């Protein structure tokens, strides 16, 4: 524990106040915080060492090149690759998979060949394969998961065949925490004659990786999830495969000789590193690896498991708490829902208390579809988290759950959602402005917005049609319109997320009962600025709000067009 307290002190970003509370950072699966040593390495590079690599005829450049190549060796040792030539710098996992798909798979694949993926994959390990499948006529097969979120191993075996050219799967699922038994899967895939790509974005920070023992052909990870800067990542590839692959991008650094009659390519690993690389990122990553290597990683892993167990134990007594999947081998990633609350609301309410989690589909939409969920709340724990963090998280969840279910007045007919709506009648934008701007704190304003959302009449299931659905909103939202005899438009809208209902209420207060021309000329930006709201809207929530406003303006435009 002593070691852990000292470690935590080395991450400056953890020691700050967010929304008036000490930060509890539980979004480690999205990106991890950085230790002083990494921040200092990046700063020192720019203060005293900055030069381009592999080309200067001067001292600084020689030193930068030396440090850059030493960083590559650190990575090689970190994952126990056989040679530095097998370590290719990338921008991250996503770029690495795209490189393999285009440079390795595209020349290889023929119509009818198969690429085997799993239901657990991140979009980064789906979309590049869809692109190459489209280009080559290859087929994508998908290994399903079991009820508890494990990979279905018999199905994996059954789907492997002599048509399988590539198996690409995640080491640890970022959405459910499932740890796949990759060594065994690699063996099976090799027996079937396939090449194996492992997405190690979630595994590198938590497990000790030995690519030779795993036996995989390619392995990928991102620096930013491993306590290093963003914009740097690693592609490991077996030398024989990399040597046979054509370069991916052309430019400087990756060539031996260029002439207009033809160009010869540089040797490994430079063949795949066109252009000036992310030098400070590589140095930062090497520093992060040094930082980790000086720690007892087994003890760190034990602590992460203890945090996870504690979280599960505390949360399981919270009414309406449902853990999404319980994989047999699971990393410190807890995916869940509160039955009474939309995941976006849970995320927002936790954020109000300085607790950072991720909500939504976690870049794994096919997995969410398989689970028949719009998304989950995800708390992901790292060794620098404390039991106190877990307790504050569980206590906040308990309070949210105790806040009760989301009661809304049911409406009976389509017309009632317009007739029963006070927005534009009893409540208008000027009144809301007056009420909200006299409130001092964001917390008061936030509560008021949530209360306004409650006054919005609810749609019946029959009204939630595809036509009324607003696209571009992270949570589901629906919009309907009617026009009265005076030509004014009246909108009704609904959403599963409370915060979106609140925002909708603000919008309808401004737009309801207006003529189409007034709606089109209404300065919404100004209204939201006056409400002092923009600062508090996350980009995804802001986009949801924009989608609603755009949908309303689109309707107004059509209606205005009808008049001409
Ligand atoms: C984060 C993540 C990725 C994508 O990593 P980038 O750093 O965004 O390129 C891919 N796969 C998994 C499992 C991830 O968690």
């Amino acid at each position: 524990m002593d070691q852990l307290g000292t470690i935590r002190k080395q991450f400056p970003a953890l020691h700050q106040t967010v929304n008036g509370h000490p930060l509890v950072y539980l979004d480690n699966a999205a990106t991890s915080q950085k230790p002083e040593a990494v921040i200092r390495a990046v700063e020192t590079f720019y203060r005293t060492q900055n030069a381009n690599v592999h080309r200067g005829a001067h001292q600084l450049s020689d030193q930068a090149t030396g440090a850059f190549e030493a960083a590559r060796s650190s990575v090689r040792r970190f994952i126990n690759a056989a040679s530095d030539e097998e370590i290719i710098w990338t921008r991250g996992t996503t770029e690495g998979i795209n490189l393999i798909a285009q440079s390795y798979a595209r020349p290889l694949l023929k119509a009818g060949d198969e690429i085997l993926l799993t239901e657990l994959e991140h979009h980064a390990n789906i979309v590049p394969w869809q692109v190459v499948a489209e280009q080559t006529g290859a087929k994508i097969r998908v290994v399903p998961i079991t009820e508890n979120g494990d990979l279905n191993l018999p199905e994996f075996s059954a789907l492997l065949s002599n048509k399988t050219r590539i198996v690409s799967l995640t080491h640890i699922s970022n959405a459910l925490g499932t740890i796949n038994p990759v060594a065994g899967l690699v063996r099976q895939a090799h027996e079937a004659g396939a090449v194996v790509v492992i997405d190690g974005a979630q595994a590198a920070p938590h497990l000790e990786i030995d690519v030779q023992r795993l036996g995989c052909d390619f392995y990928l990870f991102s620096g930013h999830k491993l306590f290093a800067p963003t914009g740097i990542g690693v592609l490991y590839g077996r030398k024989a495969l990399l040597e046979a692959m054509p370069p991916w991008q052309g430019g400087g650094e990756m060539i031996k000789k260029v002439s207009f009659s033809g160009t010869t390519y540089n040797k490994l690993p430079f063949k795949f590193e066109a252009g000036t690389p992310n030098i400070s990122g590589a140095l930062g990553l090497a520093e992060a690896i040094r930082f980790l290597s000086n720690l007892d990683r087994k003890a760190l892993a034990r602590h992460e498991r203890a945090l996870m167990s504690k979280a599960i134990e505390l949360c399981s007594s919270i009414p309406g708490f449902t853990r999404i999947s319980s994989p047999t081998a699971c990393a410190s990633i807890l995916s869940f829902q509160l039955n009474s609350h939309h995941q976006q609301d849970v995320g927002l309410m936790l954020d109000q208390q300085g607790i950072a989690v991720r909500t939504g589909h976690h870049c794994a939409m096919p997995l969410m579809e398989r689970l028949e969920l719009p998304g989950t709340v995800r708390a992901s724990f790292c060794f620098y988290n404390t039991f106190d963090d877990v307790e504050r998280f569980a206590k906040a969840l308990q309070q949210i759950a105790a806040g009760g279910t989301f009661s809304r007045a049911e409406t009976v007919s389509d017309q009632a959602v317009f007739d029963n709506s006070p927005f534009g009648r009893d409540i208008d934008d000027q009144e809301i402005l007056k009420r909200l701007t006299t409130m001092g704190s964001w917390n008061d304003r936030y509560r008021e917005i949530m209360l306004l959302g409650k006054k919005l009449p609810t749609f019946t299931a029959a009204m939630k049609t595809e036509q009324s659905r607003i696209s571009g909103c992270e949570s589901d939202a629906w919009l309907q319109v009617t026009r009265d005899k005076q030509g004014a438009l009246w909108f009704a809208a609904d959403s599963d997320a409370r915060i979106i209902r609140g925002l909708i209420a603000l919008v309808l207060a401004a737009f309801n009962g207006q003529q189409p021309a007034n709606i089109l000329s209404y300065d919404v930006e100004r209204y939201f600025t006056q409400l002092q709201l923009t600062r508090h809207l996350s980009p995804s929530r802001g986009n949801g709000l924009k989608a609603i406003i755009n949908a309303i303006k689109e309707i107004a435009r059509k209606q205005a067009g009808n008049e001409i």
Side-chain angles (χ1 to χ4, degrees), residues 92-94 122 124 170 172 174 199 201-202 222 224-225:
T93 304
T94 305
H122 186 284
T170 194
I172 296 183
N174 69 307
D199 171 352
Q202 293 297 334
S222 301
H224 71 97
K225 293 180 181 176

Side-chain angles (χ1 to χ4, degrees), residues 29-31 91-97 120-125 170-175 199-203 220-225 231-233 333 358 362-363 378:
T31 198
R91 282 194 296 125
T93 304
T94 305
E95 188 178 55
I97 298 174
L120 291 169
E121 301 314 314
H122 186 284
H123 295 164
N125 197 24
T170 194
H171 198 160
I172 296 183
S173 154
N174 69 307
D199 171 352
Q202 293 297 334
L220 305 129
F221 62 94
S222 301
H224 71 97
K225 293 180 181 176
I232 187 77
I333 292 175
R358 172 88 182 261
H362 317 298
C363 297
R378 180 186 73 188

Side-chain angles (χ1 to χ4, degrees), residues 137-421:
K139 263 215 192 73
I140 291 176
R141 301 261 148 166
V142 183
V143 184
I145 54 170
T146 63
E147 278 306 302
N148 67 335
D150 288 340
L151 198 63
N152 187 324
L153 301 179
E155 282 291 330
F156 179 88
S157 311
L159 281 164
L160 272 178
S161 75
N162 59 6
K163 290 196 202 129
T164 315
R165 289 280 161 281
I166 294 165
V167 175
S168 190
L169 83 163
T170 194
H171 198 160
I172 296 183
S173 154
N174 69 307
L176 302 181
T178 314
I179 305 176
N180 283 323
V182 282
L185 301 178
V186 169
R187 229 173 297 125
Q188 277 192 61
H190 281 169
E191 277 161 24
V195 151
V196 185
V197 181
I198 301 199
D199 171 352
Q202 293 297 334
H206 301 287
L207 304 178
E208 288 170 69
I209 308 299
D210 182 334
V211 288
Q212 295 191 70
R213 210 172 55 211
L214 291 177
C216 58
D217 300 287
F218 295 101
Y219 197 95
L220 305 129
F221 62 94
S222 301
H224 71 97
K225 293 180 181 176
L226 189 74
F227 319 104
T230 53
I232 187 77
V234 171
L235 181 166
Y236 157 81
R238 274 203 300 115
K239 189 173 168 188
L241 293 177
L242 291 176
E243 273 185 332
M245 284 157 59
W248 186 43
Q249 291 178 331
E253 192 96 347
M254 51 73 71
I255 46 83
K256 189 146 66 189
K257 179 169 183 295
V258 177
S259 76
F260 282 108
S261 59
T263 290
T264 48
Y265 303 125
N266 206 337
K267 60 185 183 1
L268 284 178
F270 312 113
K271 182 170 81 172
F272 293 107
E273 295 177 358
T276 301
N278 182 353
I279 306 164
S280 68
L283 302 190
L285 177 53
E287 197 58 46
I289 287 173
R290 183 167 321 143
F291 174 84
L292 279 176
S293 308
N294 286 332
L295 302 173
D296 177 354
R297 291 197 77 192
K298 293 211 166 48
L300 301 184
R302 267 199 306 279
H303 178 60
E304 287 174 350
R305 275 198 299 276
L307 292 170
M308 178 76 173
S309 304
K310 180 91 183 168
I312 293 170
E313 178 201 321
L314 292 178
C315 290
S316 55
S317 63
I318 296 172
F321 176 91
T322 309
R323 184 175 174 198
I324 307 302
S325 299
S326 52
T328 311
C330 190
S332 50
I333 292 175
L334 179 59
S335 232
F336 66 94
Q337 288 203 320
L338 277 189
N339 297 352
S340 50
H341 292 72
H342 191 277
Q343 75 260 358
Q344 261 200 331
D345 291 326
V346 177
L348 188 69
M349 287 188 252
L350 289 172
D351 186 40
Q352 298 282 295
Q353 309 218 29
I355 301 167
V357 296
R358 172 88 182 261
T359 64
H361 53 63
H362 317 298
C363 297
M365 285 168 96
L367 175 60
M368 294 299 130
E369 203 172 301
R370 156 71 176 79
L371 298 167
E372 296 178 358
L373 294 172
T376 75
V377 189
R378 180 186 73 188
S380 48
F381 306 95
C382 178
F383 54 73
Y384 49 53
N385 288 122
T386 62
F387 289 110
D388 187 55
D389 286 347
V390 174
E391 276 161 24
R392 272 189 53 204
F393 159 71
K395 193 161 160 224
L397 265 189
Q398 172 91 45
Q399 282 166 354
I400 294 166
T405 54
F406 187 6
S407 59
R408 295 182 288 184
E410 277 299 327
T411 50
V412 281
S413 71
D414 290 9
Q415 193 54 40
V417 296
F418 300 107
D419 295 345
N420 294 350
S421 171

